[in-house]
Amino acid sequence: MDSSLIPEELHHASGEHEHDEEGNKMFGFIVFLLSESVIFLSFFAGYIIYKTTTPNWLPAGVSGLEIKEPAINTVILVASSFVIYLAERELQRHNLKGFRLYLLATMAMGSYFLLGQMIEWSHLEFGFTSGTFGGMFYLLTGFHGLHVLTGVLLQLMILVRSFIPGNYETSHYGVNATSLFWHFVDVIWIVLFLLIYVWQ
């Protein structure tokens, strides 16, 4: 028996174990996102049912929602999905500087979206208790806003971890999971934008 082959075999087995573990983690994260999708789909169904069956859907004195600023925020949020993809690509190339720059840009775009939402809320003429529409509007946009905030905080975490020497040399699971979460948040917002702002 050639003892010189043992370390190589052990290294190969260790690599397979790490790959399987990372794959299992990603599978678990995808299951989590699917469960989140069910929650949002329930909200979407409720919104559609209420909108199509409730007389006087909009609160008194409200004729509709302003669409210009939300549309700009939507473009920025959707564009941030492409930016975080570029961050992932730079990390795969072991370019930490590029990774950090694109990640900071993604965080800035997500923060801009949240700020735009807060400004919109401050100028609305109705509140959470202003009929069914008011409740559904704040529930949907607020719940999504919490997900955007979570995504920005996750990006901050992986940014900080990029300064740990050698942290991303073997595994990019945290970055890939955060990026997937961000794409999920963007897709959900596109549906919300169409339901709430376009379908008036």
Side-chain angles (χ1 to χ4, degrees), residues 108-122:
M109 296 168 84
S111 299
Y112 181 91
F113 176 86
L114 288 173
L115 179 62
Q117 192 171 61
M118 290 173 61
I119 292 174
E120 180 192 13
W121 281 9
S122 68

Side-chain angles (χ1 to χ4, degrees), residues 14-26:
S14 175
E16 286 185 346
H17 175 72
E18 290 176 1
H19 178 73
D20 290 344
E21 184 178 351
E22 187 166 323
N24 290 335
K25 288 180 180 178
M26 185 57 70

Side-chain angles (χ1 to χ4, degrees), residues 2-197:
D2 189 353
S3 61
S4 65
L5 296 177
I6 295 177
E8 183 179 349
E9 291 174 353
L10 290 174
H11 177 74
H12 181 68
S14 175
E16 286 185 346
H17 175 72
E18 290 176 1
H19 178 73
D20 290 344
E21 184 178 351
E22 187 166 323
N24 290 335
K25 288 180 180 178
M26 185 57 70
F27 176 76
F29 190 74
I30 291 173
V31 171
F32 163 73
L33 290 183
L34 289 174
S35 67
E36 288 286 290
S37 299
V38 172
I39 297 173
F40 274 107
L41 286 174
S42 300
F43 286 159
F44 297 160
Y47 183 88
I48 293 171
I49 291 170
Y50 282 128
K51 179 176 173 58
T52 55
T53 60
T54 303
N56 302 321
W57 170 243
L58 294 175
V62 177
S63 58
L65 295 170
E66 172 63 39
I67 195 173
K68 180 181 178 181
E69 293 301 324
I72 294 173
N73 289 339
T74 299
V75 171
I76 291 173
L77 188 64
V78 172
S80 70
S81 267
F82 296 97
V83 180
I84 201 170
Y85 163 75
L86 294 175
E88 279 188 287
R89 193 173 65 174
E90 290 302 313
L91 184 60
Q92 291 170 356
R93 295 174 176 174
H94 304 288
N95 180 8
L96 283 177
K97 183 178 180 181
F99 167 71
R100 290 165 184 156
L101 286 174
Y102 282 122
L103 195 60
L104 281 170
T106 307
M107 293 169 61
M109 296 168 84
S111 299
Y112 181 91
F113 176 86
L114 288 173
L115 179 62
Q117 192 171 61
M118 290 173 61
I119 292 174
E120 180 192 13
W121 281 9
S122 68
H123 289 87
L124 291 175
E125 299 177 351
F126 59 90
F128 186 79
T129 58
S130 299
T132 307
F133 173 77
M136 291 298 294
F137 173 84
Y138 282 101
L139 175 64
L140 288 170
T141 58
F143 190 56
H144 176 267
L146 286 176
H147 282 71
V148 175
L149 177 60
T150 299
V152 172
L153 293 177
L154 288 173
Q155 291 165 31
L156 177 61
M157 288 174 60
I158 63 175
L159 175 65
V160 171
R161 288 177 60 83
S162 73
F163 290 95
I164 301 175
N167 186 58
Y168 290 136
E169 287 184 1
T170 58
S171 174
H172 298 164
Y173 165 73
V175 175
N176 295 336
T178 299
S179 179
L180 185 60
F181 180 81
W182 195 248
H183 296 320
F184 168 79
V185 167
D186 287 358
V187 170
I188 291 296
W189 177 253
I190 292 174
V191 178
L192 279 177
F193 179 75
L194 292 174
L195 279 178
I196 297 175
Y197 294 95

